[in-house]
Amino acid sequence: MILAGASLALWGWPGSSAGPLGAASAPPAVFQPVMDTDPGPLPPDVLATPEDASVTETGTSIALPAASSPDLGIALPQALPPDLADPILRWIAQQPGARVITDTQQADIWINVDGDGMLLAERIYVPVARFATLRDEVSAVDLLAQWMGAPEPGQMPLAADPSALAGLTLLWGSPAQVEVLPDAAAVAAALEPYPARLGVLPFDQLAPQVKALTMNGLDPTNNDFDASEYPLTVRLYVNAKPDAQDAAAGLQAAVEAAGVQTNRDPAKLTVLAMTGVTAMARMTALRMEQNGYGYPAEVVGPELSRADITHISNEIPFTEDCQVNASENNLTLCSRTEYLEALRGVGVDIVGLTGNHLNDFGEQASLWSMQFYRDQSLPTYGGGSNLEESLKPLLVEHNGNRLVFLGANQYGPEFAWAAADRPGSAPYDLAGISQAITDARSDLDADLVLVELQWEESYDTLPIQSQREGLQALSSAGADIVTGVQSHVPQAVGFG
């Protein structure tokens, strides 16, 4: 992901994997397992149905021969998410005499969404739109109307991957019309040409190219999300007759062992919020003196501070005797130490020091500012007391996720760059920072590598050519997220 000057609020996502291809006109598949390993074909007698019955699989009706009463009859719902169907079918195949049957009343074990029995698995589904949209929310009523009704003239149908098709079928029954696409990337591509089109994806398949929409005020990408009140929470329960309780517990254990009990584990989630350039000087400083030191955080503070990690790129130093100078042409910038209240108000956790004003008040003032951050227990990166310190990566661990932050100042001026015996921002070197990205993977075991750049400045909302080329080069070098903090206006977002 490349951000050429925009602020970023990133809600971490895991990698996606392709699922089986479905057709829009086909009914939901009874089973669509995605096999990660190949233990060999499932026994052909896993499925047992009454005489002349049939099982529907992705648009194909397969007639099955009559079978004798199974030793262990297991009734499954009409649709199952593929990643959940896989371990369930494997477990059934390993049980002597076990068969899938269609009659719940005759079953020894049955799975449903009615809320009784032992919780087997949970799935969270998320309505999405293309990334470039002003829309933030969709109601459950509106989404259900699209699911149950045919699209109006000129309106595109819902787009969904196979898991979302199965999950919403469990909640709402079969759809009137849904375009089923193989994976999140295909859903994102289908949404991109249509600003008003909606899709649905499993939480663990959310991709950067889509925007997750809230539903009834609830946002699964937030770390305070309550799944119990969310309309697109699907919970499957396993029930059993008294003499099949042990077998049901075995099925539950198999699902747990496969790691597919849920697709949203709060203990593995990290919410990261990143900002563009910050400089509490000139007119901003004057307003803070007039309205209170926490003034800049009054509106954005609650949102930014909700993140697990809140990043600020602060391009100017704190100094002991900073004086407010609100003149338009003042280019020698500093902040009073009292202004830290505004950063605390947005929940700052880490600070990028790639700015080109770090040494505006001299080297001693810059060193004092860096010590001030240390005294305030605020980790920094992208700048330092000398060149070696400025180049050091910052590793942040949260909920088992390892995020490595790197930063550099491409634009200068030269006196702002750190040197062997001078503080400042890290000078930009493509070969050096590309190697640092590689080292972050190999030496620090990074899950995400994030690079912050102070690039050539531009007051245009469209990135200039050098910005595009420079940020793309680091994306190509392996950075997961590259942010340009040089701009004083919102710019573009790209996906490398």
Side-chain angles (χ1 to χ4, degrees), residues 35 41 110-111 130 207 273 288 310 338 346 400:
M35 303 301 187
W110 60 98
I111 297 172
R130 72 177 195 176
M288 294 173 74
T310 300
E338 290 87 351
V346 299

Side-chain angles (χ1 to χ4, degrees), residues 223 266-272 306-309 349 395-403 447:
N223 49 17
K268 297 179 181 178
L269 177 68
T270 294
V271 178
L272 168 67
R306 289 169 62 183
D308 298 306
I309 304 170
D349 295 296
L395 170 64
V396 180
E397 295 185 77
H398 178 268
N399 277 354
N401 300 310
R402 297 171 64 85
L403 286 71
D447 295 307

Side-chain angles (χ1 to χ4, degrees), residues 264-288:
R264 185 189 183 278
D265 184 350
K268 297 179 181 178
L269 177 68
T270 294
V271 178
L272 168 67
M274 300 189 73
T275 71
V277 67
T278 297
M280 295 178 289
R282 291 190 296 208
M283 287 303 296
T284 300
L286 180 60
R287 292 288 183 264
M288 294 173 74

Side-chain angles (χ1 to χ4, degrees), residues 13-297:
W13 58 84
S16 63
S17 59
L21 177 65
S25 60
V30 176
F31 307 120
Q32 293 180 303
V34 178
M35 303 301 187
D36 296 323
T37 57
D38 185 10
L42 297 174
D45 59 347
V46 166
L47 298 176
T49 63
E51 189 172 359
D52 298 325
S54 65
V55 174
T56 305
E57 287 195 295
T58 321
T60 302
S61 183
I62 304 173
L64 298 176
S68 58
S69 297
D71 297 329
L72 185 67
I74 304 167
L76 302 180
Q78 175 195 12
L80 277 175
D83 65 327
L84 185 58
D86 182 9
I88 291 175
L89 288 176
R90 290 177 183 277
W91 179 85
I92 294 172
Q94 295 167 1
Q95 310 310 304
R99 304 286 188 276
V100 174
I101 64 175
T102 58
D103 188 353
T104 303
Q105 300 297 321
Q106 300 297 319
D108 299 291
I109 297 174
W110 60 98
I111 297 172
N112 60 30
V113 294
D114 295 339
D116 57 341
M118 298 182 293
L119 181 63
L120 182 67
E122 176 187 83
R123 291 294 180 272
I124 306 297
Y125 295 97
V126 185
V128 295
R130 72 177 195 176
F131 186 88
T133 183
L134 296 177
R135 185 170 191 169
D136 292 322
E137 182 165 2
V138 61
S139 70
V141 171
D142 288 344
L143 193 69
L144 177 60
Q146 289 201 36
W147 180 264
M148 299 300 295
E152 297 178 1
Q155 182 184 29
M156 297 295 293
L158 280 174
D161 77 347
S163 177
L165 173 68
L168 267 65
T169 298
L170 289 168
L171 284 176
W172 292 338
S174 298
Q177 185 175 347
V178 168
E179 183 178 9
V180 184
L181 297 160
D183 54 29
V187 171
L191 297 178
E192 181 58 32
Y194 305 101
R197 190 178 187 187
L198 297 180
V200 182
L201 287 171
F203 176 82
D204 61 325
Q205 297 299 310
L206 289 176
Q209 294 86 352
V210 299
K211 179 178 181 179
L213 305 179
T214 61
M215 177 168 278
N216 296 3
L218 298 172
D219 183 355
T221 66
N222 281 345
N223 49 17
D224 58 358
F225 171 72
D226 182 0
S228 65
E229 301 295 328
Y230 184 62
L232 297 188
T233 296
V234 178
R235 289 195 171 109
L236 294 110
Y237 299 85
V238 59
N239 303 264
K241 292 180 178 179
D243 59 353
Q245 291 291 329
D246 289 345
L251 173 58
Q252 192 177 35
V255 170
E256 180 178 358
V260 295
Q261 288 175 297
T262 181
N263 67 343
R264 185 189 183 278
D265 184 350
K268 297 179 181 178
L269 177 68
T270 294
V271 178
L272 168 67
M274 300 189 73
T275 71
V277 67
T278 297
M280 295 178 289
R282 291 190 296 208
M283 287 303 296
T284 300
L286 180 60
R287 292 288 183 264
M288 294 173 74
E289 295 294 334
Q290 295 170 340
N291 301 320
Y293 299 138
Y295 169 70

Side-chain angles (χ1 to χ4, degrees), residues 184 264 335 471 496:
R264 185 189 183 278
S335 286
L471 274 65

